[in-house]
Every structure is written in structure tokens, then in C-alpha cells.
Amino acid sequence: MAIALSTVDDRPVRKAPRRPKPAPGTKRLSPLRVIGTLVVWLFTAFNILVLYWLIGAAFKTPLEIFRNPLDLPRQLFVTGRPFRNFAYAWDSAEFGHAFLITVILVAVCSVVIVLISAPAAYALSRLGVRGSGPLTGFIAIGMGIPFQTVIIPLFIVLAKVKLTNNLFGLGVVYVALSLPFTVFLLTGFFRSLPDELEEASAIDGASPTRTFWSIMLPLARGGLITALILNAIGLWNETLLAIVFLQENANFTLSRALFTFYNAASYQSEYGGLLAGVAIIVLPMLVLYILLARRIITGLTLGAGK
């Protein structure tokens, strides 16, 4: 019995694991953390102030906008016409038809972008395609090229095939310019998925195509939804391409209709109506982002997990 006890006592004592060093800027009262927090809060406060001014000005008369820019709207509420500016903007700018066109165009383009990007991202990240690394880098470079630099060549090409002043031609441009970001985003997301699922699928005799559609694509649902939402927000707010490629009122998107409405509203000093038009375009995407912010952030962080 004594021998057994001595054997137990002679075992080496296991050391506690070394405590990891804190990340830079995570210490309490760190100068970097204080400056970063201050910058974030100042930027947030500025954006909230701008949003408050925009919404408030949309319910004001031009005189109230310039005399009391930060006060609550009053005159239109007193006269019983609080939504007068919104009605004026909706009717004068023909936002009803433009709203329908924008919803259809953005929805179709966002879905097409994701449908093209998902197989491309899967092939680059999971199938071991030769040259997938340089090709992914080439796609990432495409994200850094400002689309303003290719507007003239795009216009010339579309003019030759008679797709200017055409919603289909604008949709093709939207899809082409949005593919690099979406492929890059989904490539990182597919890389974060476990390899064991593909191995088990291959053992069961499933082809790569079946594995993609039946197993990997449902698992990537969070990333697909994130890509879909981000593309929808970006295309909804896009203005420059719509100005260049659309000339007829019947094809105008919301942002293009607002650009045309700006000249008429400024000439008539209808600044309240103009800001109401801006609010009509901004608020739907703002509400959408607020409702789906958690899902968007989760999808982006999961995509950076590997």
C-alpha cells in the first residue's frame, strides 16, 4: 500500500497552460482603443444627425429648412398636410413606375449574380481547379478597379449591340460589375465549410455537381443571403450607371428619376419635395439593413473563418 502511494506522489505536476497575451488595443484605457471608440461614436453620431435632418426636412417647408434646419417640422402639420412633400415628389418624379422598375431590376440582378457567383466560388475554393489561387487573386483585383473608369468602354460596347437605354443592358452591366465582389465573398465562405462532408459524399458516390447542389449549397445559405442582401442594397442606390445608360423616362430607375426631378425641384424651390424624394429612396434600404444587420454581419464573419 505504501509503494502504491509513493508511485502516485512521484508523478510530475502538470503545469497550467500559459495565459495568452491580450490583443493590441484590448487593454483598459488603451490609447488606441480610446481613439478608435471615439472615432466610431463620432461617425455614428454624424450619420444619425444627417438622417434626422433628412427625415425632418422631408416634412418641412423650404422656409423651415433654411431657418430652422434642426428643429422639428411644424407648419405642414399645422395645416394638416404632413405628407405633402412626399406626395409631390411621388407624383412629379413619377416614382410609382420607377419604383416598380427598380424593385424588379434589383431583384432579378441580385438573384442572377448569386446564381453565377456560387458555382464559381465553389469551383475556386473546393474543387482544386488548376490556377484557382491566381484566378481568385485576379478576381480580387477586379474589386479594386473603380467602375467609373470603364463606363466609356461599356457604353461603346453596349451602343454597338444596341443595348443602351435598355433595362436589359443595364442589368448586364450590373451583373458583370458585381461578380468580382460576390465571388470573392462566397469563396471565403465556401472555404470555411468542413471537408468531411465532401469526403463522405464522394464515398457515397455523389458527383461534385450533386455534392454542391445537395450538400454544400444549403450549408452556404447564410453566405448566399448575405451576398444577396449586399448586392440588393448596392444596386438599389446605384445612380451613375443609370444616368449614363438610361435616357427615356419609361426606363428610369428610382435614382435616375430623382436625378431628373432634382432640376425641376430646384427651379421651383421645392427643396422639401426634393428631400422627400431622397428619403423615399434611402429609407427602404435603411430599414432592410436594420432588420437584417445581424444576418449580414454573421454571414461576413463566417466567410472569414478560414
Side-chain angles (χ1 to χ4, degrees):
M1 188 68 174
I3 295 174
L5 291 175
S6 63
T7 303
V8 173
D9 295 337
D10 291 341
R11 287 184 302 178
V13 180
R14 190 173 183 181
K15 295 182 179 180
R18 183 175 62 87
R19 181 180 247 176
K21 294 182 180 180
T26 57
K27 294 181 179 180
R28 182 177 296 180
L29 298 180
S30 168
L32 183 62
R33 186 174 186 179
V34 171
I35 294 173
T37 303
L38 181 62
V39 170
V40 169
W41 279 109
L42 287 176
F43 181 74
T44 303
F46 174 76
N47 282 276
I48 292 175
L49 179 63
V50 172
L51 180 63
Y52 163 76
W53 175 82
L54 172 64
I55 297 176
F59 291 93
K60 292 180 179 180
T61 62
L63 189 61
E64 286 182 295
I65 293 174
F66 290 103
R67 283 190 175 180
N68 307 306
L70 296 180
D71 290 351
L72 292 174
R74 181 176 179 275
Q75 188 170 343
L76 291 179
F77 285 86
V78 171
T79 58
R81 299 186 302 162
F83 296 99
R84 181 262 174 196
N85 291 334
F86 288 90
Y88 172 80
W90 188 270
D91 294 335
S92 300
E94 299 181 2
F95 274 174
H97 183 66
F99 186 88
L100 180 62
I101 288 178
T102 305
V103 169
I104 296 175
L105 181 64
V106 169
V108 171
C109 289
S110 299
V111 172
V112 171
I113 290 167
V114 173
L115 288 178
I116 296 175
S117 301
Y122 179 73
L124 291 174
S125 59
R126 311 292 299 196
L127 296 183
V129 177
R130 181 178 298 179
S132 59
L135 186 57
T136 304
F138 181 76
I139 293 174
I141 293 175
M143 296 169 51
I145 300 176
F147 73 89
Q148 294 86 348
T149 60
V150 297
I151 285 182
I152 296 177
L154 283 175
F155 185 84
I156 294 174
V157 171
L158 291 182
K160 289 183 178 180
V161 295
K162 298 182 180 180
L163 285 180
T164 55
N165 195 29
N166 185 290
L167 290 175
F168 178 77
L170 182 63
V172 170
V173 174
Y174 279 170
V175 172
L177 295 179
S178 301
L179 283 177
F181 165 75
T182 311
V183 171
F184 187 79
L185 173 66
L186 294 180
T187 298
F189 193 86
F190 277 116
R191 282 176 180 165
S192 67
L193 299 178
D195 299 333
E196 291 79 5
L197 295 173
E198 285 181 304
E199 295 172 358
S201 178
I203 292 174
D204 291 339
S207 64
T209 303
R210 182 174 178 81
T211 301
F212 168 70
W213 288 106
S214 302
I215 298 176
M216 306 306 288
L217 199 61
L219 291 176
R221 180 175 55 186
L224 298 177
I225 294 175
T226 299
L228 188 69
I229 296 171
L230 292 177
N231 279 296
I233 293 174
L235 296 180
W236 180 278
N237 297 321
E238 197 285 318
T239 304
L240 181 58
L241 293 174
I243 293 174
V244 173
F245 292 103
L246 299 178
Q247 289 83 40
E248 292 184 3
N249 294 349
N251 295 328
F252 280 179
T253 60
L254 273 174
S255 57
R256 181 66 176 89
L258 178 65
F259 182 80
T260 302
F261 175 60
Y262 168 78
N263 295 324
S266 300
Y267 180 77
Q268 299 175 6
S269 299
E270 284 287 351
Y271 299 108
L274 179 60
L275 292 172
V278 175
I280 291 173
I281 297 177
V282 170
L283 291 181
M285 289 299 105
L286 179 63
V287 172
L288 177 66
Y289 182 81
I290 292 175
L291 293 177
L292 302 176
R294 185 180 296 274
R295 180 179 291 275
I296 293 173
I297 295 172
T298 301
L300 289 175
T301 53
L302 285 175
K306 208 168 186 181

